[in-house]
Amino acid sequence: MVELKNVDVHYKDGGKHGVDALHDVNIRINDGEFVFIVGNSGAGKSTMLKLLTREILPTNGRVFVNGYNLSKMKNKKVPYFRRSLGMIFQDFRLIPDMTVYDNVAFVLRVTDRSNKYIRQRVPYVLNLVKLADKAKFKPTQLSGGEQQRVAIARAFACDPKLIIADEPTGNIDPALSYEIVELLKDINRCGTTVLMVTHEHDLVQYFGGRIINLSNGSVVFDNYIGGDEEYMEGEDEGK
Ligand code: ADP
């Protein structure tokens, strides 16, 4: 569950009087939802993600994520809280000199999972993103789309309650962007909540679902739209 209650974020060091990056934001996202967060540059999307990962605290209001009240959380608890999150970034952030297998296994090792669990879990998640045959490759030997699929496998490996994907299709071929969202949808069907920040209107239009639109630090739209996906699937048949 993600909840922002009357949240303001004011940066003191922007301009003469600072910047109101978020103003009176109220959002509730239940477990198991898939939500697109959209908005122009400067709308407050990154600020919102920084609140959700507790990189910053709100100036006013309260933020709850996965049962934690982030405003009240002690610093020493932050690493445990972050284990309940999976992060996916525009620039993949894979470790270049590790194989695909080790990139995924690494996050499990640092969170003290047993070797037995790791030996089962890594092939399972690589299979889910259809990269089982590339386990021994290094990230540089993969396409952008494949690298992002490794990052998705890594984010999902620890079985997080919430996955936050920050412009995950920003650096990949537009035709492959749909695949990336499909994978995030598959993960969502396994019960993980997914928040995806994007500025790609075509994708949002195609998949539909719950859309939160930020503009100038405020939520200007938070509702469900029908996607084109269903009837497109029908049209694709037989091609
Ligand atoms: P988005 O991710 O939607 O592009 P941001 O959350 O990055 O928007 O920015 C929202 C507003 O806050 C913008 O006006 C931006 O210039 C400002 N801002 C973001 N980070 C800082 C910061 N660290 N210090 C001062 N102003 C900031």
Side-chain angles (χ1 to χ4, degrees):
M1 189 266 294
V2 171
E3 197 166 15
L4 289 91
K5 283 188 168 178
N6 307 109
V7 165
D8 296 331
V9 173
H10 180 81
Y11 292 113
K12 286 200 183 88
D13 52 354
K16 205 172 169 190
H17 305 288
V19 177
D20 285 318
L22 291 177
H23 176 66
D24 197 23
V25 170
N26 288 283
I27 293 173
R28 185 189 162 97
I29 296 166
N30 291 320
D31 287 344
E33 287 199 65
F34 187 107
V35 180
F36 284 116
I37 297 169
V38 300
N40 293 335
S41 178
K45 303 182 297 298
S46 308
T47 299
M48 193 174 130
L49 295 193
K50 283 182 191 156
L51 283 172
L52 300 183
T53 56
R54 206 186 175 275
E55 274 173 71
I56 60 168
L57 289 169
T59 315
N60 296 302
R62 287 180 290 166
V63 181
F64 300 89
V65 178
N66 297 343
Y68 293 89
N69 180 342
L70 301 195
S71 308
K72 289 204 168 150
M73 185 184 288
K74 298 233 163 59
N75 284 337
K76 66 177 181 193
K77 274 212 163 170
V78 172
Y80 297 98
F81 156 66
R82 293 217 176 112
R83 286 184 191 183
S84 71
L85 304 178
M87 297 296 298
I88 297 166
F89 305 96
Q90 183 171 359
D91 55 358
F92 322 133
R93 302 200 191 172
L94 300 173
I95 303 171
D97 50 3
M98 277 190 191
T99 63
V100 164
Y101 184 99
D102 283 330
N103 262 281
V104 178
F106 181 70
V107 293
L108 294 168
R109 290 190 189 115
V110 296
T111 51
D112 297 328
R113 309 298 164 111
S114 72
N115 286 334
K116 186 176 172 217
Y117 180 78
I118 294 172
R119 278 197 301 272
Q120 286 170 353
R121 185 73 179 165
V122 178
Y124 172 76
V125 294
L126 288 180
N127 199 36
L128 196 76
V129 301
K130 301 177 187 74
L131 281 177
D133 56 333
K134 304 250 162 114
K136 290 185 177 154
F137 285 49
K138 297 273 176 65
T140 48
Q141 296 171 301
L142 304 178
S143 70
E146 287 171 332
Q147 289 187 56
Q148 195 59 300
R149 278 152 54 195
V150 177
I152 291 172
R154 177 181 60 182
F156 186 55
C158 294
D159 202 14
K161 285 179 74 119
L162 170 67
I163 285 189
I164 297 175
D166 189 3
E167 300 269 8
T169 61
N171 270 336
I172 56 185
D173 188 328
L176 296 176
S177 298
Y178 292 83
E179 236 176 61
I180 295 295
V181 183
E182 291 287 4
L183 277 177
L184 292 172
K185 289 263 179 189
D186 289 345
I187 284 173
N188 175 245
R189 279 181 211 109
C190 297
T192 309
T193 312
V194 177
L195 294 192
M196 173 171 159
V197 171
T198 183
H199 61 258
E200 291 182 55
H201 294 288
D202 291 354
L203 274 185
V204 173
Q205 202 65 50
Y206 178 74
F207 287 99
R210 183 172 174 192
I211 319 295
I212 296 176
N213 188 352
L214 288 173
S215 176
N216 281 325
S218 298
V219 175
V220 292
F221 181 89
D222 180 359
N223 218 325
Y224 295 83
I225 65 164
D228 304 332
E229 187 183 16
E230 276 172 34
Y231 84 89
M232 295 275 285
E233 271 171 10
E235 278 187 352
D236 281 349
E237 270 167 27
K239 272 191 192 168

